[in-house]
Amino acid sequence: MADAKLNPTSVDGTDEPHGAEKTRQEKASTVEVVPPPDIIEPDPELTPEEAEHARKRYLLKRFWISARRFWGRGGDKLAWPLSIGLLAMICMNVGFQYGINRWNRAIFDAIERHDAGTVYYLSGVFVPLVLGTVALVTTQVAVRMMIQRRWRSWLATAVIARWLANGRYYQLNLIGGDHKNPEARISEDLRIATEAPVDFTAGVIAAFLSASTFIVVLWTIGGALTLPIGGWTITIPGFLVVTAVLYAVITSSVIAVIGRHFVQVSEVKNQVEAEFRYTLTHVRENGESIALLGGEEEERNDLDKTFGNVLRQWALLARQHMRTTFVSHGSMLIAPVVPLLLCAPKFLEGSMTLGEVMQAASAFAIVQTAFGWLVDNYPRLADWNACARRVASLMMSLDGLERAEQSDSLGRIKHGQTESEAMLSLNDLAVSLDDGTAVVKETRVEIRPGERVLVSGESGSGKSTLVRAISGLWPWGGGSVDFRADRRLFMLPQRSYIPSGTLGRAVAYPGAADNWPPDEIKSALDKVGLDYLKDRIEEDAPWDQTLSGGEKQRLAFARLLLHQPDIIVLDEATSALDEKSQDKMMQMVIDELPDVTIISVAHRAELETFHSRKITLERRRGGAKLVSDIDLIPRKRKGNLLSRVLENRRSPQKGSTISNKAPQPRNGN
């Protein structure tokens, strides 16, 4: 979770976003906002195997629901021009293939006639044919890859925009579903899912046009074949075409049978590869803790186990490749010989010229290549199926979150604006899990500007969950969280996020480092006790690994001095600091930002000194409740600004405990 969650206005209070943020918003605005598809419930009468098969079919459908919009309204403006251009070049390339095929016939006929002049002439004609074919194929590759690149960019931008919207990248960690390793799905799986269909489409069109064109050539050249069998004669019209079709049907059928498990094996292989990458990333990100605990051996065992799964799946995939290679390579060796053997009788009897034999052999090879497209691309087709389903699984999880945002059936916490002078108000706020299990019961609290409120309670009572609900990261529950309209919220979690790049960028995050003069950044570091890092703000280093936990928390407080928000939410933000350093940080915030509103979640009793109010959560069956709301510093109240805690606070439930140890109880307690 990031350190800060700001309102839509920029960090300096203006309405215009800065630099990279503006670019991201402009880029995201180009993506068409489309409601998620309706849920299709599986037929309850299906067997588990049939239900899984239906689920996989729907995953491919779900992928295309989003992916095909690249060519639709709100898609890429060059999608159709590039696609039509690619189609035109495929047709032209088939035309050049036919020209070379006719050239083969002409030159071999000339060689057979010993016609030197024609041979020299055709040798000269061959040069422009080759140059034209090479130029056309090169341009075709460029256009095809441009479509792939733009499609991937468009779809990745759309998925990333949905993933980052409304904290969904965080909420995915809180719900069940097949969306593990979203970063791998967005990067590698989405790349394959957008590259392969373009290749497949271009390949199928080229194969169809080539097969159609050169089947006509085979029919015209080969004619009919008459075979004497006993006292009978059998005439086979278009015998070369019949042979080509039978040959292709046999090879394709064999590859379909022996490769029927290719898709499933490839899908599992991609999954275990993603899990292995995730395990490696987890070790890298937690390297310090592992090293301090001496957990290398245990991590090695876990990596060996995960990598063992990868190797086993690769072995299964290798078997599939061996079988398909056996068929495809054998077909490749036999295919050129078949037309020569079939045409030999006619050539020997003089009814077919050498040029026609060579033209027929070339056309037969082209037809076999076209018909054998499935044989050659079956492994890639299986890999695409697996990757497209993984991307679609992430899309479906995002669909669920987006659908929940638009519906009240699951219970959503609303966010609005306060009607009074309060900086923040919780109105019948209830926090629950995504399955409806209550974490915090209905709560009513108002916090006025400048108040410093400490939220306490035993571990597991829902304090951090309540804070996440206030910041907007936790969506499930009921009631509303209302802020003053012009407020700016800044959140400091226990684990401070340090982005890659320079130290200055880390201090300025989530703003850009150039939004503040270097001297101001240095001054912020000095005030939080990181003065020894002032001269390194331009240094690009792995600061997330270099800084200690306490230094990261100090750096987070330096961000407060730069951004100067109206509300600060501290979630165990001083847990890595010693008591003396903690006191300095809290006092520094109070001195530098005297009007800021603070909401703190912490276990340390010493923090009460720096807060004017304390509310206590108590864990109970059916959800935690606020059982105490007391003043830590006596102060005058304005009218009836502060509302009571809980709806039934005036008549506490039996067994509830209202703490009155603080100097000044709040009115009504």
Side-chain angles (χ1 to χ4, degrees), residues 362-667:
S362 174
F364 190 90
I366 293 174
V367 170
Q368 284 308 306
T369 300
F371 280 137
W373 182 89
L374 177 62
V375 175
D376 297 332
N377 290 274
Y378 197 82
R380 279 197 71 194
L381 183 62
D383 200 32
W384 173 81
N385 267 277
C387 292
R389 286 170 182 165
R390 283 175 54 79
V391 175
S393 295
L394 175 61
M395 290 178 174
M396 287 184 65
S397 294
L398 294 173
D399 291 344
L401 290 174
E402 189 173 346
R403 199 176 290 111
E405 292 167 6
Q406 301 169 1
S407 172
D408 295 330
S409 60
L410 296 178
R412 301 285 299 188
I413 299 173
K414 299 178 181 179
H415 294 267
Q417 297 180 3
T418 57
E419 298 179 356
S420 61
E421 296 181 2
M423 180 63 73
L424 166 66
S425 66
L426 311 181
N427 303 308
D428 297 325
L429 177 64
V431 184
S432 62
L433 302 179
D434 63 317
D435 61 0
T437 303
V439 178
V440 178
K441 288 186 176 181
E442 290 83 358
T443 304
R444 293 183 62 84
V445 174
E446 285 191 0
I447 300 174
R448 71 177 188 175
E451 274 199 299
R452 302 190 296 274
V453 180
L454 178 65
V455 181
S456 64
E458 62 180 340
S459 297
S461 59
K463 301 186 300 300
S464 294
T465 305
L466 178 63
V467 166
R468 290 179 177 88
I470 292 174
S471 65
L473 287 178
W474 194 283
W476 301 289
S480 66
V481 178
D482 298 332
F483 290 93
R484 178 181 284 186
D486 58 349
R487 67 92 177 99
R488 291 172 300 169
L489 174 67
F490 206 102
M491 185 169 181
L492 270 65
Q494 182 176 6
R495 184 178 179 181
S496 181
Y497 172 67
I498 306 297
S500 60
T502 65
L503 180 64
R505 179 176 183 243
V507 179
Y509 190 85
D514 55 9
N515 288 347
W516 292 274
D519 289 343
E520 194 169 345
I521 295 177
K522 291 180 180 180
S523 175
L525 289 173
D526 189 24
K527 291 177 181 178
V528 298
L530 297 177
D531 53 296
Y532 51 89
L533 295 175
K534 289 192 300 184
D535 297 331
R536 303 177 65 185
I537 62 172
E538 299 297 332
E539 183 177 336
D540 191 338
W543 294 108
D544 187 52
Q545 305 296 325
T546 304
L547 299 176
S548 67
E551 288 174 324
K552 291 178 183 178
Q553 290 192 339
R554 289 175 181 269
L555 186 144
F557 276 91
R559 292 172 181 167
L560 297 179
L561 302 181
L562 296 181
H563 290 278
Q564 297 187 355
D566 301 303
I567 305 176
I568 301 172
V569 180
L570 307 176
D571 186 5
E572 300 285 358
T574 60
S575 59
L577 300 174
D578 59 85
E579 185 177 340
K580 184 177 180 181
S581 299
Q582 173 185 266
D583 293 349
K584 287 183 178 180
M585 289 300 101
M586 295 302 300
Q587 190 60 51
M588 181 273 300
V589 171
I590 294 173
D591 293 340
E592 296 291 332
L593 305 171
D595 298 325
V596 73
T597 303
I598 299 176
I599 303 173
S600 296
V601 170
H603 290 92
R604 294 179 177 177
E606 300 84 1
L607 284 172
E608 293 185 5
T609 306
F610 304 97
H611 293 81
S612 58
R613 180 177 169 191
K614 177 182 177 181
I615 60 178
T616 304
L617 273 175
E618 182 178 282
R619 183 170 56 185
R620 294 183 178 180
R621 179 176 297 180
K625 298 187 68 174
L626 287 177
V627 296
S628 176
D629 185 356
I630 56 178
D631 286 331
L632 299 174
I633 299 176
R635 59 173 64 195
K636 294 181 180 180
R637 299 294 173 193
K638 290 186 177 181
N640 196 21
L641 179 63
L642 299 181
S643 66
R644 303 286 62 82
V645 180
L646 327 169
E647 286 183 334
N648 53 355
R649 182 184 178 93
R650 295 181 178 178
S651 55
Q653 293 182 3
K654 183 178 180 181
S656 65
T657 303
I658 306 296
S659 175
N660 290 306
K661 295 181 180 180
Q664 175 72 23
R666 294 181 60 76
N667 296 332

Side-chain angles (χ1 to χ4, degrees), residues 330-349:
S331 172
M332 181 182 66
L333 294 175
I334 297 173
V337 180
V338 172
L340 294 177
L341 295 177
L342 293 175
C343 293
K346 285 198 168 189
F347 174 73
L348 294 175
E349 71 181 17

